[in-house]
């Protein structure tokens, strides 16, 4: 993450295109409010959902969100992020619904193969239970096409069948700004207003809008171990394995999720402008550089999305 960027390139870097991306996101957010009866906005406290939230504030006005915020908590999220999530929702006066994978485990709908098994893949079960509990007919999320190749295949309005599953070969065509939002009972949509944004666009927007983020997105000292090309954070949930030695490194997180599968990258970027410069030089996708769960196979994300994952 510390590759040098040509200063002339930085000087030529504009952000006028952000107006068009923001306008598209606001259009989609308003389309959801008009087309669906019980939508919700997925809000984790991460950078993409915070960008989405800023667009929603512009779409409807501060403190006037027409749908609740929904978080699926694995119970293994960074406390800095869940604390930030709760504070931001309270500041907006938004309704925040949190449903937990641990509750699904108590109901017996999620069963771990072993106690230390990552809970991230099991979020699909809890998410679909929340869809059924609240009868949500649209879930708005901050997924982007540039994150991972399975997400690149998905439409902006992505249909889910009565089992909450995604059928990649049965997606509805999207021509210009015409979206087919018809549903049968029990079906719902996943909607991605910032699908056409890149990681660089997100950071440029964060810098332009001065959006506050959890501190983990910026450089800090952390004990890590190197494992399979990743920097694994040393925590109670992810201790060093036999033969591994923890060392202090200056790192930041490009994405924040479950502690057991999210890794930081080496970085000295201490603010959004420095992250923009750093992002210009990266050659590995955001999830490819930071997620252990996406490295199990080339099709792991697509398989999970077919099962109901976001």
């Amino acid at each position: 993450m510390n590759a040098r960027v040509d200063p002339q390139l930085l000087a030529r870097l504009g952000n006028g295109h952000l107006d068009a991306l923001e306008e598209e996101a606001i259009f989609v957010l308003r389309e959801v409010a008009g087309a669906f009866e019980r939508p919700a906005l997925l809000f984790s406290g991460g950078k993409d959902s915070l960008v989405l939230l800023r667009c929603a504030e512009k779409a409807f006005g501060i403190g006037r969100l027409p749908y609740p915020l929904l978080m699926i908590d694995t119970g293994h999220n960074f406390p800095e992020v869940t604390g930030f999530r709760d504070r931001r929702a309270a500041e907006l006066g938004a309704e925040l619904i949190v449903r937990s994978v641990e509750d699904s485990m108590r109901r017996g709908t999620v069963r771990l193969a072993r106690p230390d098994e990552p809970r991230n893949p099991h979020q699909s079960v809890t998410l679909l239970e929340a869809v059924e509990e609240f009868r949500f007919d649209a879930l708005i999320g901050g997924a982007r096409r540039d994150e991972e190749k399975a997400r690149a295949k998905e439409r902006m309005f992505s249909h889910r069948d009565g089992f909450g599953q995604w059928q990649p070969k049965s997606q509805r065509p999207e021509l210009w700004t015409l979206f087919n939002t018809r549903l049968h009972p029990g079906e719902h949509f996943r909607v991605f207003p910032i699908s056409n944004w890149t990681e660089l666009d997100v950071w440029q927007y964060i810098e332009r809008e001065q959006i506050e983020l959890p501190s983990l997105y910026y450089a800090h000292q952390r004990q890590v171990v190197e494992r399979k090309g990743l920097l694994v954070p040393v925590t109670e949930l992810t201790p060093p394995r036999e033969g591994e030695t923890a060392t202090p490194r200056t790192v930041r997180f490009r994405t924040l999720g479950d502690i057991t599968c999210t890794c930081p990258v080496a970085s000295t970027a201490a603010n959004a402008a420095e992250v923009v410069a750093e992002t210009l030089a990266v050659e590995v996708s955001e999830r490819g550089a930071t997620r252990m769960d996406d490295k199990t196979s080339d099709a792991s994300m697509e398989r999970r999305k077919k099962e109901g994952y976001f």
Side-chain angles (χ1 to χ4, degrees), residues 1-309:
M1 290 296 293
N2 293 320
R4 295 179 64 84
V5 175
D6 183 351
Q8 293 184 346
L9 179 60
L10 276 177
R12 294 197 299 271
L13 185 66
N15 63 17
H17 65 294
L18 296 180
D19 292 334
L21 290 171
E22 179 188 74
E23 181 180 350
E24 180 182 60
I26 289 173
F27 172 81
V28 171
L29 288 163
R30 289 173 173 166
E31 184 77 3
V32 171
F36 297 96
E37 294 182 6
R38 290 175 295 280
L41 191 152
L42 288 168
F43 180 64
S44 64
K47 68 181 190 309
D48 297 314
S49 63
L50 285 162
V51 164
L52 201 54
L53 199 58
R54 175 57 57 87
C55 292
E57 289 179 81
K58 292 192 176 185
F60 305 107
I62 297 174
R64 299 180 60 185
L65 291 181
Y67 22 70
L69 307 180
L70 173 65
M71 165 70 174
I72 303 301
D73 195 337
T74 64
H76 288 169
N77 291 296
F78 290 94
E80 295 94 332
V81 181
T82 52
F84 185 92
R85 173 203 68 192
D86 295 345
R87 176 170 66 81
R88 193 72 189 96
E91 289 172 350
L92 289 171
E95 179 187 1
L96 174 63
I97 299 170
V98 179
R99 287 297 178 267
S100 169
V101 173
E102 292 181 349
D103 289 338
S104 299
M105 292 166 61
R106 280 190 283 273
R107 286 191 290 268
T109 50
V110 168
R111 296 182 180 180
L112 302 183
R114 59 181 195 281
D116 63 344
E117 180 186 355
R119 298 177 180 179
N120 204 47
H122 299 293
Q123 289 183 95
S124 306
V125 175
T126 310
L127 179 62
L128 293 178
E129 289 174 346
V131 169
E132 183 176 1
E133 177 184 356
F134 294 96
R135 295 188 298 133
F136 290 130
D137 53 4
L139 295 177
I140 308 162
R144 309 186 320 269
R145 289 195 172 104
D146 76 324
E147 287 181 81
E148 200 277 338
K149 48 193 170 187
R151 287 185 165 165
K153 294 180 182 179
E154 201 157 18
R155 299 286 194 269
M156 192 170 283
F157 280 69
S158 183
H159 176 263
R160 293 294 190 275
D161 64 20
F163 298 99
Q165 296 177 329
W166 176 56
Q167 304 296 339
K169 294 183 179 178
S170 302
Q171 298 188 89
R172 296 176 177 179
E174 292 183 345
L175 304 175
W176 303 287
T177 57
L178 301 177
F179 304 110
N180 183 347
T181 58
R182 292 184 178 181
L183 289 172
H184 292 105
E187 298 176 343
H188 69 278
F189 269 89
R190 309 286 173 87
V191 185
F192 308 107
I194 62 170
S195 181
N196 291 328
W197 297 43
T198 66
E199 183 183 10
L200 180 61
D201 297 329
V202 166
W203 277 107
Q204 285 186 278
Y205 192 73
I206 289 168
E207 182 191 14
R208 188 182 83 169
E209 300 290 318
Q210 295 293 294
I211 297 175
E212 183 184 2
L213 299 182
S215 60
L216 298 181
Y217 278 114
Y218 299 115
H220 58 281
Q221 281 276 313
R222 178 176 289 273
Q223 292 283 331
V224 300
V225 296
E226 295 191 31
R227 186 183 303 162
K228 296 181 179 179
L230 297 173
L231 299 179
V232 178
V234 175
T235 69
E236 292 183 358
L237 298 169
T238 53
R241 294 175 179 171
E242 185 176 352
E244 292 179 335
T245 302
T247 56
R249 297 282 296 271
T250 302
V251 300
R252 71 174 182 86
F253 287 87
R254 288 175 69 183
T255 180
L256 285 170
D258 189 282
I259 291 173
T260 62
C261 61
T262 306
C263 297
V265 295
S267 170
T268 57
N271 54 55
E274 291 179 6
V275 176
V276 167
E278 209 173 65
T279 305
L280 280 168
V282 299
E283 296 179 348
V284 180
S285 72
E286 183 177 322
R287 295 186 71 94
T290 63
R291 298 297 291 255
M292 287 184 280
D293 53 341
D294 290 345
K295 288 182 174 295
T296 53
S297 77
D298 288 343
S300 57
M301 173 61 85
E302 182 162 329
R303 174 177 51 76
R304 277 182 286 154
K305 289 180 77 68
K306 289 178 181 176
E307 295 170 350
Y309 191 74

